């Protein structure tokens, strides 16, 4: 009997069919849903019809706005080919790769198109859920075009002015045939309609658990610019002695980091430092609160869900002691660190489950600085940077380093600010019970990992 | 710095203003929200205008349908008095008792009325959130009137036929002036509109975290009849030796309970036994899975969130050992058992936080049988039976007893089916480290508690 998290109750497959004019944030929403579900171990994938269109190598015509004129028969032919390719791929993925949530990212702007997809889903026992992003706030649309579309692969080496004008014309062509989802006409369908981001949301026949999770996630998204800072606590007394877990105090060097942290945060804020409203989250353990104690921000919250991975019977032991006392466990953990659950304690998978409400709250909030622990920080980082599960427990997140994340439309910018205060390494390579000699001594492999994921 | 659960991020007060014709389930939804939020330690209270009306002792006129005729001036006068009383009480409760979520349970069927409440809330820095239950499915309405309204205090000692007819006339009077919430006209307000239970939901300007929690809870409610069964695991080896925590096997008597459990469940199902589709949930600990091992139901899920309260450093000890080794902790736990967190372990409050997704999933599901542990079962039971926090950790939930809960409109029916297989008592009274001699030896006080709460 496998262990179920809240995410695996039903045996349901869902196809999220995006609906909406271009530049309504459909791809952004699609990619966020995929990242969120993947982090929760729910196999999901996005099928972007624009990408399939760009892959039709034999296409002899130029893709400017006129390509999208509903009266352009040649354009129509290639666009049909693109959506067919996307749907074929998605159906193959559902059947051959046991996909659970597939997202069809296209405008799907007519009822006829949506009917076809609906029929296909039902024939394949896949639940179709339509997700429309409707936006009549012209400022939002223009901002989106500027932020994203003028740098689209469709406009490589074109001036921005041209791209903007051409894209607006493309939207206009789509608008001629657009049939928005409607609470009455489409009352038999399962759908979410977001109006102007999420100032109004219509939910229709949302039934399965998976659908309701996706709805709740999408409901909580916002597009205001903000940053998230992540830091481990300063070096602790247990870090110095190589013991895991516990609730020890900071070491002398850990206290130095705590004192320096306000300066690091200010530096990372740049010129807006004085005006930034920032909330500090810590775990319930002393070492994170001590690390936060010199920060000048009034709002500080403690979360039990941010506590370090519970090592159960191994709490307070060194890796060498664990290797000696429980050699089989030690090996099992190295073999599958994500799934391995300490005797009477937790696995990385357990942490992800308890962090889920934290992620939801992070999506809702603006500027947050989180001071937490190695394993928890790895899981949070994996969410933002889309790091695969089997890699995340092996990422190196050194002590005395502040990480700043700036979520952008299709990526998250990462910067790391080092405090230049020495600390032991708590990084254990696979197959050894020895820790690295210092932060600088960490393997290049683990270092590569973190930079690679930063670009994903 | 107090510990924050996911429920205490903002300093926000919300007034949920119910909207809708009579017999649309407004009171049911109100009471469920209050029960859910109270269980999460969010201070909330329902103010039902009908109850205030019935308390106007001086009212000289009969309350039949004509009382609700919008042209009946005397009726209007008393109805205005009732709503004024309810609002006054609610505002006093917000200011004097630090209320967080107040629910104004009335029809609030005109825009003029809603405007007045809106203004009053804003003057008092309380966020107004309208929650409309709109229902044009006449079968649903008639069923609701039969289930609930014909037994209303307004129809004491009246025949059911009369009550039904009179109530339909009352609805008709309200319908004459009813102005439903509208996505366009009310686009500036924060509101949820439920159409025919939750086949369609409109969310408008849901912004604060508290509002979004209430929305998600309401989204997941259903009104299909179902039962929930709760049982502790059979007696374990640790139970016999008086040790807490651990992951021990069942004792011989525990295995006897496991073997008898299928029969107890069948008996509790009555004549529908063959047709009942039932899912079994256990924790990840051996003793719950062993207890479930003879149940013939195919769908069995393991949840880490159902694991027993983590006793941290005290895991595996007896209460006597804890009293000797940590006398101050032992006393602190007796003084405030809900808040006390074991060294390196959990408190009852911590359990409630990790059970929240389980409760949400339970609301969504139909027939579920849960086999779990003493502290976890107390918390689940407290949710369904509305048991106050300071009482729930002291409830007696004996071993070898199946509890069946049948949620009804305004209460939950409880039946307890004893297996008649002896087991040790694991009930510890306040102020002693001794356990009761046997199940039958539990104090009458603790027994009273469970029966009293069953009627709440």
């Amino acid at each position: 009997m496998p262990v179920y998290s809240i995410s695996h109750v039903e045996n349901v497959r869902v196809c999220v069919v995006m609906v909406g004019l271009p530049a309504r944030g459909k791809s952004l929403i699609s990619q966020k849903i995929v990242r969120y579900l993947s982090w929760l171990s729910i196999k999901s994938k996005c099928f972007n019809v624009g990408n399939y269109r760009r892959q039709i190598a034999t296409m002899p015509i130029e893709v400017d706005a006129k390509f999208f004129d509903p009266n352009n028969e040649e354009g129509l032919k290639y666009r049909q080919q693109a959506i067919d390719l996307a749907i074929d791929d998605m159906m193959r993925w559902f059947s051959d790769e046991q996909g659970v949530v597939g997202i069809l990212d296209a405008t799907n702007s007519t009822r006829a198109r949506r009917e076809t997809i609906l029929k296909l889903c039902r024939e394949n026992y896949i639940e179709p859920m339509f997700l429309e992003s409707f936006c009549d706030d012209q400022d939002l649309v223009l901002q989106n075009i500027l932020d994203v579309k003028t740098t689209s692969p469709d406009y490589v080496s074109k001036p921005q002015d041209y791209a903007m004008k051409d894209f607006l014309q493309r939207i206009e062509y789509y608008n001629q045939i657009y049939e928005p989802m409607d609470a009455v006409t489409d009352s038999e369908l399962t759908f979410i309609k977001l109006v102007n981001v999420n100032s109004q949301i219509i939910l229709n026949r949302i039934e399965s658990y998976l659908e309701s999770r996706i709805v709740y996630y999408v409901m909580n998204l916002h597009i205001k610019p903000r940053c998230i800072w992540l830091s481990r606590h300063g070096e602790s007394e247990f870090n110095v002695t190589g013991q895991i877990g516990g609730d020890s105090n900071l070491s002398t060097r850990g206290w130095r980091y705590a004192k320096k942290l306000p300066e690091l945060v200010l530096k990372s804020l740049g010129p807006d430092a004085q005006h930034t409203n920032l909330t500090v989250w810590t775990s319930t353990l002393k070492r994170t609160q001590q690390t936060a104690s010199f920060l000048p921000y009034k709002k500080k919250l403690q979360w039990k869900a941010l506590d370090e991975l519970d090592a159960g019977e191994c709490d307070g032991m060194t890796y060498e002691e664990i290797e000696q006392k429980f050699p089989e466990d030690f090996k099992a953990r190295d073999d599958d660190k994500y799934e391995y659950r300490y005797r009477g304690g937790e696995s990385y998978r357990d942490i992800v489950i308890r962090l889920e409400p934290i992620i939801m709250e992070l999506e809702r909030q603006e500027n947050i600085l989180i001071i937490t622990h190695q394993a928890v920080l790895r899981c949070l980082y994996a969410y933002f940077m889309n790091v695969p599960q089997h890699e995340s427990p092996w990422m190196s997140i050194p002590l005395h380093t502040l990480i700043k994340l700036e979520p952008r439309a299709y990526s998250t910018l990462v910067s790391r600010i080092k405090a230049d205060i020495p600390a032991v390494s708590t990084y254990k390579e696979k197959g050894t019970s020895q820790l690295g000699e210092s932060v600088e001594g960490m393997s290049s492999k683990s270092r590569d990992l973190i930079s690679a994921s930063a670009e994903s």
Side-chain angles (χ1 to χ4, degrees), chain A:
Chain A
M1 233 185 347
V3 176
Y4 286 83
S5 79
I6 200 74
S7 45
H8 288 82
V9 180
E10 296 155 329
N11 187 13
V12 161
R13 298 184 300 174
V14 175
C15 173
V16 179
V17 185
M18 301 302 296
V19 176
L21 293 175
R24 263 61 183 180
K26 296 188 300 300
S27 297
L28 173 61
I29 297 168
S30 307
Q31 290 184 23
K32 288 204 79 156
I33 295 173
V34 167
R35 181 154 62 84
Y36 169 70
L37 295 177
S38 305
W39 184 75
L40 287 172
S41 305
I42 298 169
K43 187 159 185 166
S44 33
K45 190 171 177 182
C46 181
F47 300 82
N48 176 289
V49 174
N51 290 339
Y52 284 89
R53 169 175 52 73
R54 284 183 282 270
Q55 282 163 26
I56 303 176
T58 56
M59 200 151 62
I61 54 171
E62 206 197 343
V63 177
D64 56 8
K66 281 194 285 306
F67 180 84
F68 299 93
D69 180 343
N71 300 312
N72 177 342
E73 283 189 22
E74 205 173 1
L76 274 180
K77 189 185 79 183
Y78 287 114
R79 286 160 61 202
Q80 185 64 46
Q81 202 180 328
I83 183 107
D84 289 346
L85 284 170
I87 291 177
D88 282 358
D89 237 22
M90 182 173 72
M91 289 301 170
R92 219 179 354 253
W93 174 81
F94 271 120
S95 62
D96 298 356
E97 298 184 46
Q98 288 76 50
V100 177
V101 177
I103 305 190
L104 188 62
D105 180 15
T107 53
N108 298 312
S109 48
T110 65
R111 288 221 161 72
R113 163 64 51 82
R114 299 197 290 264
E115 268 300 323
T116 315
I117 300 167
L118 185 73
K119 198 163 156 277
L120 198 65
C121 283
R122 289 194 174 148
E123 282 166 9
N124 289 280
Y125 305 100
I126 294 164
E127 286 188 13
M129 172 165 82
F130 296 91
L131 198 172
E132 179 176 34
S133 178
F134 180 92
C135 182
D136 54 10
D137 179 333
Q138 211 52 30
D139 289 346
L140 275 177
V141 174
L142 287 175
Q143 192 55 49
N144 192 329
I145 297 178
L146 266 180
D147 285 355
V148 182
K149 298 298 175 181
T150 53
T151 58
S152 144
D154 285 343
Y155 295 109
V156 174
S157 75
K158 296 277 164 62
Q160 207 188 58
D161 279 8
Y162 169 84
M164 174 60 105
K165 212 177 127 210
D166 190 77
F167 204 82
L168 285 170
Q169 180 59 48
R170 184 197 294 195
I171 295 177
E172 188 37 42
Y173 281 129
Y174 273 104
N175 202 20
Q176 290 173 16
I177 52 159
Y178 180 32
E179 298 167 287
M181 303 291 294
D182 180 88
V184 177
T185 320
D186 296 306
S187 67
E188 295 303 311
L189 302 180
T190 292
F191 73 83
I192 325 174
K193 182 180 179 118
L194 306 173
V195 181
N196 294 328
V197 187
N198 51 17
S199 74
Q200 187 172 100
I201 303 174
I202 300 174
L203 307 175
N204 200 68
R205 298 191 181 274
I206 302 298
E207 278 159 17
S208 73
Y209 177 71
L210 247 182
E211 289 165 358
S212 92
R213 288 310 305 175
I214 296 170
V215 165
Y216 189 58
Y217 180 70
V218 170
M219 269 172 61
N220 283 311
L221 299 180
H222 70 74
I223 51 170
K224 287 171 243 168
R226 50 86 171 256
C227 292
I228 290 160
W229 291 262
L230 303 173
S231 173
R232 292 176 62 187
H233 53 80
E235 183 189 71
S236 73
E237 290 165 354
F238 263 35
N239 288 152
V240 174
T241 50
Q243 291 167 274
I244 64 170
D247 189 13
S248 67
N249 293 307
L250 293 185
S251 71
T252 314
R253 297 192 295 195
W255 280 111
R256 276 177 60 202
Y257 178 68
K259 281 182 192 137
K260 195 163 184 184
L261 190 54
E263 182 193 321
L264 298 185
V265 176
L266 273 185
K267 206 161 77 184
S268 82
L269 283 166
D272 300 329
Q274 299 308 315
H275 310 289
T276 300
N277 197 3
L278 195 153
T279 302
V280 181
W281 292 359
T282 65
S283 78
T284 68
L285 297 167
K286 282 187 293 192
R287 55 196 185 276
T288 62
Q289 290 162 43
Q290 289 170 354
T291 306
S293 57
F294 299 97
L295 289 164
Y297 309 101
K298 273 193 190 143
K299 212 165 162 193
K300 292 182 186 172
L301 304 179
Q302 271 185 42
W303 303 88
K304 172 95 178 145
L306 290 173
D307 281 4
E308 181 55 311
L309 185 142
D310 180 357
E313 290 182 32
C314 296
D315 188 77
M317 292 166 75
T318 64
Y319 286 120
E320 282 170 323
E321 286 166 352
I322 299 172
E323 190 178 19
Q324 278 178 1
K325 195 167 171 194
F326 304 113
E328 283 172 22
D329 287 67
F330 189 80
K331 190 177 172 308
R333 187 160 200 257
D334 264 5
D335 287 347
D336 190 348
K337 199 172 173 186
Y338 188 81
E339 297 288 352
Y340 173 80
R341 176 180 284 156
Y342 276 108
R343 293 163 178 247
E346 290 181 302
S347 64
Y348 271 81
R349 177 182 295 282
D350 293 332
I351 296 189
V352 163
I353 295 166
R354 72 161 142 98
L355 282 180
E356 196 274 345
I358 294 276
I359 289 295
M360 201 63 90
E361 189 53 23
L362 269 175
E363 285 294 349
R364 292 179 36 78
Q365 294 285 333
E366 302 191 17
N367 294 314
I368 304 283
L369 162 55
I370 303 178
I371 299 174
T372 179
H373 306 264
Q374 180 163 255
V376 173
L377 211 151
R378 281 174 174 149
C379 295
L380 292 173
Y381 190 89
Y383 169 76
F384 285 103
M385 305 309 294
N386 214 2
V387 182
Q389 279 164 4
H390 64 280
E391 289 178 13
S392 62
W394 295 103
M395 279 189 295
S396 160
I397 312 264
L399 287 164
H400 298 182
T401 306
L402 179 66
I403 300 174
K404 183 186 179 191
L405 303 176
E406 294 173 77
R408 290 281 185 272
Y410 296 116
S411 61
T412 300
L413 303 182
V414 186
S415 36
R416 304 175 123 210
I417 303 117
K418 286 189 173 252
D420 197 23
I421 295 168
V424 297
S425 166
T426 57
Y427 187 79
K428 186 190 96 53
E429 295 242 12
K430 200 179 270 204
T432 168
S433 59
Q434 300 300 310
L435 296 173
E437 287 212 351
S438 74
V439 172
E440 298 309 314
M442 74 181 173
S443 79
S444 60
K445 192 176 156 231
S446 61
R447 216 184 316 193
D448 287 343
L449 224 162
I450 212 166
S451 0
S453 53
E455 285 151 24
S456 69

